[in-house]
Amino acid sequence: MKKKNEKEKISRNALCPCGSGKKYKRCCLNKESSAQSSDLRYEKRPRIQIKTTDQIDGIRRAGRLVIETLDLVEPHIQPGITTDAINTLVYDFTIKNGATPAPLNYKGFPKSVCVSINEVICHGIPSERTFKDGDIVNVDVTSILDGYYADASKTLFVGTPGADAKKIVDVSRQCLARGIKVVKPGNTVGDIGFAIQSYAEGKGCSVVRQFVGHGVGIDFHEPPQIPHYGTPGSGVRLVPGMIFTIEPMINLGTRELVILKDGWTAVTKDKSLSAQFEQTLLVTENGVESLTPYPL
Ligand code: MF3
Ligand code: CO
Ligand code: CO
């Protein structure tokens, strides 16, 4: 049977792929065969947390709120609107729904959402800057609901996009889609990176290396890291109950970046356009479920 074969790919006596340092049979193998188990030993481990069904439900609820927030913001991405206006929309909507915007005061980040325009790769800080016709804008929302985190972003057009804008947004959207496609038990983090890198570079674009996807759910950024480049079969093996983001940042020119003096804003070194799409993904028995789903 297919499912059994997938599990059999990890030897019972091999080191557990969750990074606990224990044998697979003493660790996540049991967890997989009793998904309802509330064995607290897993929560105490400093490494990759395989989520319980209760945790998954909580993160899925947080994910629904993140998507509702992105949907609320989308029609406001118009010429003349400030990035601060987007911040206010996100803050008010999040609070109204009994949640907290995770970026606010996170390691000193001063706002509730990241809004990244054109050559800004990520971590754009909302300000008085206004959107202009032809801009591309990434809006990255992370909400904490009942203690659970979900993280997602989209790159949107302001008015009518030019050819370069269309290309980079298209390629980065496809990169996320191709990354998601290879998420299933038995595949590895390197398979995800390879799927993304080979597509992006095949289109003449570059993959940012300084920022990666990440485990998420109980905290904002958890292990494992998910690079958007890599080699097939390398890195951590995926097992059911892992939750992480895939969030490729794809540049039209060089992959090199510069961090501005504000300590946050990452921009392409050559000022070329950069685009990103991000979803929070659960590894299931058969493949993947997006906990922040939207069409790609
Ligand atoms: N949401 C970003 C991510 O995808 C992280 C933003 S950190 C912040 O991981 F402080 F800038 F909000
Ligand atoms: Co993220
Ligand atoms: Co994010």
Side-chain angles (χ1 to χ4, degrees), residues 7 10 16-20 22-34 42 45 48-50 239-240 242:
K7 277 192 182 174
I10 307 166
C16 187
C18 83
S20 64
K22 303 209 171 196
K23 287 185 177 177
Y24 183 51
K25 68 181 178 190
R26 298 257 170 256
C27 192
C28 293
L29 178 63
N30 300 327
K31 189 66 176 180
E32 285 167 38
S33 53
S34 58
Y42 294 94
R45 296 219 169 91
I48 299 168
Q49 292 196 59
I50 304 305
V239 296
M242 282 184 181

Side-chain angles (χ1 to χ4, degrees), residues 102-114 122-125 140-142 151-153 212-214 220-221 245 247 249 264 276 278:
L104 188 58
N105 301 320
Y106 175 76
K107 297 186 178 179
F109 192 81
K111 299 284 179 165
S112 297
V113 59
C114 297
C122 63
H123 302 167
I125 303 172
D140 191 340
V141 174
T142 311
D151 187 6
S153 84
V212 295
H214 51 90
F220 200 160
H221 296 107
T245 71
E247 49 180 298
M249 283 146 272
W264 283 101
Q276 177 181 28
E278 174 178 27

Side-chain angles (χ1 to χ4, degrees), residues 20-258:
S20 64
K22 303 209 171 196
K23 287 185 177 177
Y24 183 51
K25 68 181 178 190
R26 298 257 170 256
C27 192
C28 293
L29 178 63
N30 300 327
K31 189 66 176 180
E32 285 167 38
S33 53
S34 58
Q36 300 284 349
S37 159
S38 58
D39 188 339
L40 289 175
R41 286 176 305 169
Y42 294 94
E43 271 90 346
K44 288 188 185 143
R45 296 219 169 91
R47 299 294 191 139
I48 299 168
Q49 292 196 59
I50 304 305
K51 270 66 175 181
T52 66
T53 50
D54 282 355
Q55 290 170 334
I56 292 166
D57 287 343
I59 299 162
R60 193 184 283 109
R61 278 193 290 274
R64 272 189 216 118
L65 179 60
V66 166
I67 292 305
E68 287 173 23
T69 309
L70 285 171
D71 287 346
L72 167 85
V73 160
E74 196 160 334
H76 296 268
I77 307 297
Q78 297 291 343
I81 302 291
T82 67
T83 53
D84 244 343
I86 303 305
N87 182 69
T88 302
L89 282 169
V90 170
Y91 178 82
D92 289 348
F93 186 73
T94 306
I95 298 299
K96 193 177 87 187
N97 282 279
T100 307
L104 188 58
N105 301 320
Y106 175 76
K107 297 186 178 179
F109 192 81
K111 299 284 179 165
S112 297
V113 59
C114 297
V115 183
S116 302
I117 304 176
N118 295 342
E119 74 281 1
V120 179
I121 294 168
C122 63
H123 302 167
I125 303 172
S127 70
E128 286 309 306
R129 180 170 175 180
T130 56
F131 301 130
K132 305 275 180 277
D133 186 62
D135 283 349
I136 61 170
V137 180
N138 178 273
V139 180
D140 191 340
V141 174
T142 311
S143 303
I144 315 170
L145 181 63
D146 300 329
Y148 295 111
Y149 291 70
D151 187 6
S153 84
K154 276 184 190 180
T155 301
L156 303 160
F157 297 124
V158 181
T160 312
D164 282 356
K166 270 192 204 155
K167 178 175 180 185
I168 197 63
V169 170
D170 241 53
V171 171
S172 62
R173 184 193 291 108
Q174 261 297 310
C175 281
L176 176 55
R178 287 176 183 241
I180 292 174
K181 243 181 165 168
V182 296
V183 175
K184 60 175 171 190
N187 279 358
T188 70
V189 164
D191 292 326
I192 299 171
F194 178 77
I196 293 167
Q197 182 185 11
S198 55
Y199 180 76
E201 293 180 355
K203 293 287 175 185
C205 300
S206 67
V207 176
V208 170
R209 304 206 174 200
Q210 280 93 333
F211 298 104
V212 295
H214 51 90
V216 66
I218 307 304
D219 208 342
F220 200 160
H221 296 107
E222 305 172 8
Q225 296 197 345
I226 312 289
H228 305 108
Y229 56 90
T231 317
S234 71
V236 170
R237 206 161 281 281
L238 307 182
V239 296
M242 282 184 181
I243 296 181
F244 52 79
T245 71
I246 302 179
E247 49 180 298
M249 283 146 272
I250 307 299
N251 299 349
L252 213 41
T254 176
R255 67 177 188 236
E256 296 307 316
L257 62 79
V258 172

